[in-house]
Amino acid sequence: MNFQVAVRVPFGLVDPAFAVQLETLSANFFVEALARNAKAAFEASQLLPSSIRETALKIIADELDKNSDSILNANREDLKDAQRDVDAGRMSKPMLNRLDLGQPGKWEQMVKGVADVADLLDPTGIISYASELDENLALYRVSCPIGVLLVIFEARPEVVVNIAALAIKSGNAAILKGGKESNRTTTELAKAISEGLRRSSLPATYIQTVQTRAEVSALLALDQFIDLVIPRGSNELVRNIQNNTRIPVMGHADGLCHVYLHQDAGHEKAVRVVVDSKIDYPSACNAVETLLIHRSLLHTLWTEVASALLNAGVQLICDEEALSAIPQSIARANPNSITRSDEQSYRTEHLDLKLSVKTVDSLDAAIHHINTHSSHHTDTIVTESEADGSKFCRGVDSAGTFVNASTRFADGFRYGFGTEVGISTGKIHARGPVGLEGLVIYKYMLRSKDRKGHIVGEFGAGEGKKRYKHTPIDTSAVPF
Amino acid sequence: MNFQVAVRVPFGLVDPAFAVQLETLSANFFVEALARNAKAAFEASQLLPSSIRETALKIIADELDKNSDSILNANREDLKDAQRDVDAGRMSKPMLNRLDLGQPGKWEQMVKGVADVADLLDPTGIISYASELDENLALYRVSCPIGVLLVIFEARPEVVVNIAALAIKSGNAAILKGGKESNRTTTELAKAISEGLRRSSLPATYIQTVQTRAEVSALLALDQFIDLVIPRGSNELVRNIQNNTRIPVMGHADGLCHVYLHQDAGHEKAVRVVVDSKIDYPSACNAVETLLIHRSLLHTLWTEVASALLNAGVQLICDEEALSAIPQSIARANPNSITRSDEQSYRTEHLDLKLSVKTVDSLDAAIHHINTHSSHHTDTIVTESEADGSKFCRGVDSAGTFVNASTRFADGFRYGFGTEVGISTGKIHARGPVGLEGLVIYKYMLRSKDRKGHIVGEFGAGEGKKRYKHTPIDTSAVPF
């Protein structure tokens, strides 16, 4: 491999700028071979029945258990470094906890997850359109894998196992890049996955991992081998990837969700939905960040909602009217928890116990504010009116439009998909929580059984020409 | 509008470089307003029933007929300029013909096309997933428009009408840019469409047009307003757009299609499929560009196929073995029509009466060649074996994988979609010929009818916690 020759040039003999070029060059050589192998593995797997993929997942689960000692040892090494970073104030304690595979039940859950994915319905081979174009000429639209996925994620090392399982189940090859904090752990996890693949009939290069940002950068240029990039991490990570590749990107940068309290909102309902949307898991992308309140509620429902939020430890960032409507008694009791908003407040994803609050005059104004400020993730209305709920659902251009339900329901498991690849705020392919269906596309298979084959020259408007039949075919599987 | 102030700066007073900056700046101001209007028009339209869109299409058809004189006059002006370009050798005669709306039947077909699209099934409001998550908590996945489309096309002016109709039917706002050769015609067509929209209940800015490349460049930066770009034109146009925007692009750059003649291919079938795939419309993206032949057929079927192709005026660009297998008598009769191929021949989309020919040793070799050289558009095998046909369909990673049928069947009308937005060689969202379904996505609507609304905090594994029901709901429409 050329790459090995390149990196063997002794560093001291070249000037540093050239060394950087060499590093880039060697990353390029290495990842091109890697991406080429991924594509070849994907193509080879297309000729295998999907039951092979199910079996491979069960072998991988077994292989993980067999190698639990070495994986958990590597994890403890990562944790030691992380602890040093926490002590030095370079890492948060919750982040360290997310790295820890040794927490009670976490290992078992990770391995069981692989077996669970194996048992999900196969998303490939499903017919979504079948038509007889002519006698003995049948067209089938059949779901199939997308190809090679590049998945980039941060922190939690078990994601490598989770994503590998989803890719294998849906018939996609994958290249995975985890966070640098868990490098030792993901390396050991990847070894176990590769060993499992070697024991199966799938190519061992079906799932591969890379470790460095330089490798990711080089991979983002390889649109001839990689079909879809799925970033799971910070806004910055996602934006950076979107700006630096021609490959389609599926994911979400922001999760700026809204709850709108309509003039007829029931009080108990409103308090429950707003508080749950904010406090159930404040750092999640489906937590509410902005509360819109109909002006008529400022001196009634808003007082109740504000009290409940303040009691739950939420800081309120209010416009002038919502702020001055808070009774003096409540304001005095929470002097540091109520502040004035500015326009930027309504474009901020707090990911914290903070909530921007804005007064609006109508449902139309609420819809307009949401469409211009939302990240098109999930937005909720609280209302007693079926017609206004329906108008909100149609008028708000988001992946999730909810009536009287917490924004936190926007989740693949809660929706019943059994698993979740991620949440997409894009407008094509897959939107909202993405299950296995988001990892497949379709192809058209057309088969002539005519003795002379089928040509288009025989069809047309003229005399002696054939006409297309376009008769639906009732089938759930390709009959060949 | 700021843009007017900017362009009023007298040209003579500023240096030319600054004038270019001003031009760019004014294009930016203009198109941002345009894109903002498109998004607002899209959002407003979401609150209207889809029958409004059907009615609008019928009004537009009427408005086109009412304005046929001014449109056809403008078209004659465009044709005069085009004729000058043809005379000066700057434009081909077929291109001029494509510009001509006055050709017999073309006008009527264009106007009837609008009414036909109005009568197609509404692709929006279709439920693809519905589940009861809990008592009184129902989730619906509902198809809906994507948002604002930017469609860039070349030559034929009637495409503006065709695309406008598809956008309106599917509920998307659109910004259209035609070829500069048909500027006068598309301007008049756009006026009639706008007038039709003004007479309907849809916003008049639902369909807008731009005229310059600078405007397109500025629009490609506005991913906050534009959701999908659809380029229809040359490879260069498509590549250029893909490289210069963060907005998803749907389309195809190349159409490099293959026919593979398997060792058991029936002779009559093979000749018919190969010849039709090549000569039915050589400049189409679904015409065959490379023929793969199993080695065992070189001295039998290949002779017949080569003769038929040469008789049809096709130039053969052959590898060594296919070339030397052509009998001397045939070779001598066609001295200028048989040449030697090189590796580049198998990466070339000829779009002409030319065909690259390559010998392969097996079905696996054919699949591998196609997967590494094809543009993943449409590829065909000719075989008598059901198993080998099936293997080809699964193993070839293309939008269309055909058995014993011409590559030319890859077309929305032939597939029975009633219309075609374009053909996509992408791997996500929509693949192959794209009908109205390719212009929609879905959103999740979740509605609680519970007296206290629904919050996630009540669900979980612990005691007293609720469990998700995930019971399928049998419905074809959102019940609110």
Side-chain angles (χ1 to χ4, degrees):
Chain A
M1 196 155 52
N2 286 335
F3 133 77
Q4 290 176 330
V5 177
V7 296
R8 276 192 200 137
V9 175
F11 183 81
L13 297 182
V14 293
D15 78 61
F18 183 60
V20 170
Q21 283 177 24
L22 269 188
E23 198 186 339
T24 308
L25 204 64
S26 70
N28 288 351
F29 275 117
F30 169 65
V31 301
E32 184 165 335
L34 191 95
R36 200 181 286 279
N37 287 342
K39 191 61 135 188
F42 162 67
E43 285 170 6
S45 74
Q46 293 308 287
L47 297 172
L48 303 171
S50 64
S51 58
I52 298 271
R53 304 199 302 263
E54 212 178 299
T55 310
L57 286 174
K58 300 203 163 154
I59 298 173
I60 288 170
D62 174 56
E63 201 64 41
L64 286 167
D65 266 337
K66 267 173 39 187
N67 291 280
S68 60
D69 285 351
S70 61
I71 297 167
L72 290 169
N73 280 339
N75 188 237
R76 277 187 286 271
E77 292 298 311
D78 279 337
L79 284 172
K80 269 186 215 161
D81 282 0
Q83 186 60 56
R84 268 192 290 274
D85 284 344
V86 170
D87 295 343
R90 287 188 302 264
M91 186 187 283
S92 69
K93 183 76 186 158
M95 171 120 179
L96 180 136
N97 290 340
R98 284 201 289 275
L99 283 181
D100 187 0
L101 276 188
Q103 293 190 334
K106 207 164 180 183
W107 177 268
E108 294 71 22
Q109 204 184 344
M110 180 186 83
V111 176
K112 181 174 179 297
V114 177
D116 287 349
V117 168
D119 290 336
L120 288 174
L121 281 180
D122 183 4
T124 69
I126 294 167
I127 308 271
S128 57
Y129 183 81
S131 176
E132 192 184 39
L133 306 191
D134 184 32
E135 207 170 310
N136 285 320
L137 184 65
L139 178 72
Y140 304 91
R141 180 166 67 196
V142 192
S143 69
C144 62
I146 290 172
V148 177
L149 314 177
L150 171 61
V151 188
I152 301 149
F153 49 92
E154 293 171 337
R156 300 184 299 126
E158 69 272 27
V159 174
V160 72
V161 174
N162 181 232
I163 295 280
L166 295 171
I168 292 170
K169 180 69 189 182
S170 57
N172 292 283
I175 301 172
L176 312 176
K177 156 84 170 68
K180 65 177 187 317
E181 306 76 15
S182 59
N183 257 350
R184 292 189 194 86
T185 317
T186 50
T187 301
E188 289 302 312
L189 288 169
K191 265 193 217 165
I193 293 168
S194 296
E195 193 47 42
L197 288 170
R198 254 183 291 272
R199 282 174 52 203
S200 80
S201 306
L202 285 175
T205 53
Y206 208 62
I207 304 293
Q208 300 175 97
T209 53
V210 295
Q211 302 278 3
T212 70
R213 283 190 187 192
E215 287 162 344
V216 169
S217 294
L219 285 167
L220 291 174
L222 300 178
D223 63 332
Q224 70 273 45
F225 300 122
I226 297 169
D227 299 295
L228 182 64
V229 184
I230 306 177
R232 285 177 58 161
S234 66
N235 299 359
E236 198 194 336
L237 173 80
V238 179
R239 281 273 153 202
N240 190 26
I241 287 169
Q242 284 173 328
N243 286 335
N244 286 292
T245 188
R246 218 159 52 186
I247 307 170
V249 178
M250 182 165 76
H252 66 280
D254 305 284
L256 213 160
C257 303
H258 295 74
V259 174
Y260 166 55
L261 302 181
H262 194 41
Q263 59 202 80
D264 62 1
H267 286 211
E268 185 178 8
K269 202 177 270 185
V271 170
R272 277 164 46 89
V273 168
V274 173
V275 172
D276 186 84
S277 297
K278 183 71 256 180
I279 73 161
D280 184 64
Y281 191 177
S283 64
C285 62
N286 58 8
V288 65
E289 304 292 6
T290 296
L291 175 67
L292 301 175
I293 305 176
H294 191 275
R295 185 180 307 278
S296 63
L297 303 173
L298 281 179
H299 297 285
T300 51
L301 176 55
W302 168 229
T303 307
E304 285 180 52
V305 170
S307 293
L309 287 165
L310 290 165
N311 288 341
V314 178
Q315 187 184 327
L316 303 176
I317 304 157
C318 306
D319 66 357
E320 175 60 39
E321 292 161 281
L323 192 133
S324 55
I326 296 175
Q328 281 297 319
S329 56
I330 298 178
R332 269 196 297 268
N334 299 276
N336 301 318
S337 297
I338 306 172
T339 58
R340 179 76 65 82
S341 66
D342 56 25
E343 180 47 35
Q344 196 49 40
S345 311
Y346 304 110
R347 302 195 179 278
T348 303
E349 187 183 7
H350 304 297
L351 296 171
D352 201 351
L353 285 174
K354 294 177 180 176
L355 184 65
S356 306
V357 182
K358 189 180 166 78
T359 312
V360 294
D361 284 318
S362 63
L363 173 54
D364 285 318
I367 293 174
H368 182 68
H369 179 93
I370 293 172
N371 282 338
T372 48
H373 293 76
S374 161
S375 63
H376 310 288
H377 186 301
T378 302
D379 303 287
T380 285
I381 183 175
V382 181
T383 181
E384 295 301 315
S385 154
E386 188 146 317
D388 287 335
S390 168
K391 180 173 174 180
F392 182 89
C393 286
R394 287 183 294 129
V396 169
D397 181 25
S398 292
T401 56
F402 292 2
V403 180
N404 298 330
S406 166
T407 55
R408 290 272 301 137
F409 281 105
D411 171 281
F413 292 93
R414 290 176 188 142
Y415 278 10
F417 302 162
T419 184
E420 182 179 281
V421 177
I423 291 187
S424 167
T425 54
K427 300 291 284 287
I428 64 164
H429 188 65
R431 198 180 188 198
V434 180
L436 280 174
E437 278 180 40
L439 297 182
V440 298
I441 182 70
Y442 51 76
K443 56 168 42 169
Y444 288 93
M445 298 184 181
L446 178 69
R447 183 176 56 157
S448 167
K449 285 185 145 181
D450 188 274
R451 191 177 49 80
K452 302 197 288 177
H454 267 89
I455 62 173
V456 302
E458 291 176 339
F459 293 80
E463 206 180 322
K465 293 284 190 180
K466 294 193 200 181
R467 307 284 186 279
Y468 288 96
K469 288 176 68 173
H470 295 145
T471 313
I473 299 173
D474 188 20
T475 179
S476 63
V478 183
F480 64 98
Chain B
M1 196 154 53
N2 287 335
F3 133 77
Q4 291 175 330
V5 176
V7 295
R8 275 193 201 136
V9 176
F11 182 79
L13 298 182
V14 292
D15 77 64
F18 184 60
V20 170
Q21 284 178 22
L22 269 187
E23 199 187 339
T24 308
L25 204 65
S26 71
N28 288 351
F29 275 119
F30 170 66
V31 301
E32 182 164 336
L34 192 93
R36 199 182 286 278
N37 288 341
K39 191 61 134 187
F42 162 67
E43 285 170 6
S45 74
Q46 294 308 288
L47 297 173
L48 302 171
S50 65
S51 58
I52 299 273
R53 304 199 303 263
E54 212 177 299
T55 309
L57 286 174
K58 300 205 163 152
I59 297 173
I60 288 169
D62 174 56
E63 201 64 42
L64 287 167
D65 266 336
K66 267 175 37 189
N67 291 281
S68 59
D69 284 352
S70 60
I71 297 166
L72 290 170
N73 279 339
N75 189 238
R76 276 186 288 271
E77 292 297 312
D78 279 336
L79 284 172
K80 271 186 215 162
D81 282 1
Q83 186 60 55
R84 268 191 291 274
D85 284 344
V86 170
D87 294 344
R90 288 190 301 264
M91 186 188 284
S92 69
K93 183 75 186 160
M95 172 119 179
L96 180 137
N97 290 339
R98 283 201 291 275
L99 282 181
D100 187 359
L101 276 188
Q103 293 190 331
K106 206 162 178 182
W107 177 268
E108 293 71 22
Q109 205 185 341
M110 180 186 84
V111 175
K112 182 173 178 300
V114 177
D116 286 350
V117 168
D119 291 336
L120 288 174
L121 281 179
D122 183 4
T124 68
I126 294 167
I127 308 272
S128 57
Y129 183 82
S131 176
E132 192 183 41
L133 305 192
D134 184 33
E135 207 170 312
N136 285 323
L137 184 64
L139 177 72
Y140 304 91
R141 181 166 67 194
V142 192
S143 70
C144 62
I146 291 173
V148 177
L149 314 177
L150 171 61
V151 188
I152 301 149
F153 50 93
E154 292 170 337
R156 299 184 301 125
E158 69 272 25
V159 173
V160 71
V161 173
N162 181 231
I163 296 281
L166 294 171
I168 292 170
K169 180 69 191 182
S170 57
N172 292 282
I175 301 171
L176 312 176
K177 156 84 170 67
K180 66 177 187 316
E181 307 77 12
S182 59
N183 256 352
R184 292 189 193 88
T185 317
T186 50
T187 302
E188 289 301 313
L189 287 169
K191 265 194 216 164
I193 293 168
S194 295
E195 192 47 42
L197 288 170
R198 254 183 292 271
R199 282 174 52 202
S200 81
S201 306
L202 286 175
T205 52
Y206 207 61
I207 304 293
Q208 300 174 97
T209 53
V210 295
Q211 302 278 2
T212 70
R213 283 190 187 192
E215 288 162 345
V216 170
S217 294
L219 285 168
L220 290 175
L222 301 178
D223 62 332
Q224 70 272 45
F225 300 122
I226 298 169
D227 300 295
L228 182 63
V229 184
I230 307 178
R232 286 177 55 161
S234 65
N235 299 0
E236 199 194 334
L237 173 79
V238 179
R239 282 271 154 202
N240 190 27
I241 287 169
Q242 284 174 328
N243 286 335
N244 286 292
T245 188
R246 216 160 52 187
I247 307 169
V249 178
M250 181 165 76
H252 66 281
D254 305 284
L256 213 161
C257 303
H258 296 74
V259 175
Y260 165 55
L261 303 181
H262 194 41
Q263 59 202 77
D264 63 0
H267 287 210
E268 185 179 7
K269 202 176 269 184
V271 170
R272 278 164 46 88
V273 168
V274 174
V275 172
D276 186 85
S277 297
K278 183 72 255 180
I279 73 162
D280 184 64
Y281 191 176
S283 64
C285 61
N286 58 9
V288 66
E289 304 293 5
T290 296
L291 175 67
L292 302 174
I293 306 177
H294 192 276
R295 187 179 304 279
S296 64
L297 303 172
L298 281 179
H299 296 285
T300 52
L301 176 56
W302 168 228
T303 307
E304 284 180 53
V305 169
S307 292
L309 287 165
L310 291 165
N311 288 340
V314 178
Q315 188 184 326
L316 302 176
I317 304 157
C318 305
D319 66 357
E320 176 60 38
E321 293 161 282
L323 192 134
S324 56
I326 296 175
Q328 281 297 318
S329 56
I330 298 178
R332 269 197 298 268
N334 299 276
N336 302 317
S337 297
I338 306 171
T339 58
R340 179 75 67 81
S341 67
D342 56 25
E343 180 48 35
Q344 197 48 42
S345 311
Y346 304 110
R347 302 195 178 277
T348 303
E349 187 183 8
H350 303 297
L351 296 172
D352 201 350
L353 285 174
K354 294 177 181 176
L355 184 65
S356 307
V357 183
K358 189 181 167 78
T359 312
V360 295
D361 285 318
S362 62
L363 173 55
D364 285 318
I367 292 174
H368 182 69
H369 179 93
I370 294 172
N371 281 339
T372 48
H373 292 77
S374 161
S375 62
H376 310 289
H377 186 301
T378 302
D379 303 286
T380 286
I381 184 174
V382 181
T383 181
E384 296 300 314
S385 155
E386 188 147 318
D388 288 335
S390 168
K391 181 174 174 180
F392 181 88
C393 286
R394 286 183 293 128
V396 169
D397 181 25
S398 293
T401 55
F402 292 3
V403 181
N404 298 330
S406 166
T407 54
R408 290 273 300 136
F409 280 106
D411 170 282
F413 292 92
R414 291 179 186 138
Y415 278 10
F417 301 162
T419 185
E420 184 180 282
V421 177
I423 290 187
S424 168
T425 55
K427 301 291 285 287
I428 64 163
H429 188 65
R431 197 181 190 200
V434 180
L436 280 174
E437 277 180 39
L439 297 183
V440 299
I441 182 71
Y442 52 75
K443 56 166 46 166
Y444 288 92
M445 297 184 182
L446 178 69
R447 184 176 57 158
S448 167
K449 285 185 144 181
D450 188 274
R451 191 176 49 80
K452 302 197 288 178
H454 266 88
I455 61 174
V456 303
E458 290 176 338
F459 293 79
E463 205 180 326
K465 294 283 190 179
K466 294 194 202 181
R467 307 286 186 275
Y468 289 97
K469 288 177 68 172
H470 295 145
T471 314
I473 300 173
D474 189 18
T475 178
S476 62
V478 182
F480 64 97

